[in-house]
Amino acid sequence: DAGVTQTPRHEVAEKGQTIILKCEPVSGHNDLFWYRQTKIQGLELLSYFRSKSLMEDGGAFKDRFKAEMLNSSFSTLKIQPTEPKDSAVYLCASSLGVGTEVFFGKGTRLTVV
Amino acid sequence: QQKVQQSPESLSVPEGGMASLNCTSSDRNFQYFWWYRQHSGEGPKALMSIFSDGDKKEGRFTAHLNKASLHVSLHIRDSQPSDSALYFCASMNYNQGKLIFGQGTKLSIKP
């Protein structure tokens, strides 16, 4: 079975650009998460979908960050417009449901210059 | 807002020694815990979950949960160089399904 697949692995964007990160969850998983990882903050939850319904839209991240689940096997995270402080690793994860193990992708490292 | 506090920020342990990591949740609605481990260049991978008071042992790893204080610890005995990684504690609200992570503990095992 394939794990969580994220593309691209690395992205360099200029300030003000729009970028779209992609994620394919583990086949059959119902829950999908987007996290941002930085050394200072650790892992911050951006969005959480349960059976394609948005359960958590990330509070402080709402204004420039938008996650979507186009279907049960594909999700995107759009950042518009990008700012240098958005430089981080963005992780996508999926699970069968509440209380079950969450599987992570390898992440997309975003650098905004 | 729910917070998960981990300590220490970093830890160095000799090979074969015992490593102890700590974690506390700030919200009583988040009282189910997971430990994750992340090696460089990889995504985090689950080590173990603990949902009940007391100890849970899996191989060299033992987790301890005290629900009254919302404190969980992870103990790694007979530490190996391959245990060198970033360790995350995560707490879960079972009703909401949200999984909130701490800032991580960097563990280094010295040969």
Side-chain angles (χ1 to χ4, degrees), chain A residues 31-112:
Chain A
D31 287 7
L32 185 137
F33 305 83
W34 282 99
Y35 288 90
R36 183 171 80 171
Q37 183 175 13
T38 60
K39 283 188 178 176
I40 295 174
Q41 298 294 335
L43 287 160
E44 299 170 283
L45 180 64
L46 300 176
S47 291
Y48 164 42
F49 293 89
R50 183 186 299 172
S51 299
K52 297 190 292 182
S53 296
L54 182 63
M55 307 299 291
E56 171 73 33
D57 64 1
F61 295 97
K62 283 167 67 171
D63 57 344
R64 296 182 299 108
F65 292 73
K66 183 172 183 179
E68 290 184 311
M69 279 208 76
L70 282 70
N71 54 56
S72 60
S73 58
F74 187 69
S75 177
T76 59
L77 176 67
K78 180 192 287 187
I79 309 176
Q80 178 183 35
T82 52
E83 298 181 5
K85 66 181 179 180
D86 300 332
S87 296
V89 175
Y90 290 83
L91 291 159
C92 179
S94 69
S95 74
L96 280 170
V98 175
T100 64
E101 181 179 345
V102 175
F103 292 82
F104 282 83
K106 293 187 175 184
T108 295
R109 181 174 292 279
L110 173 66
T111 303
V112 182

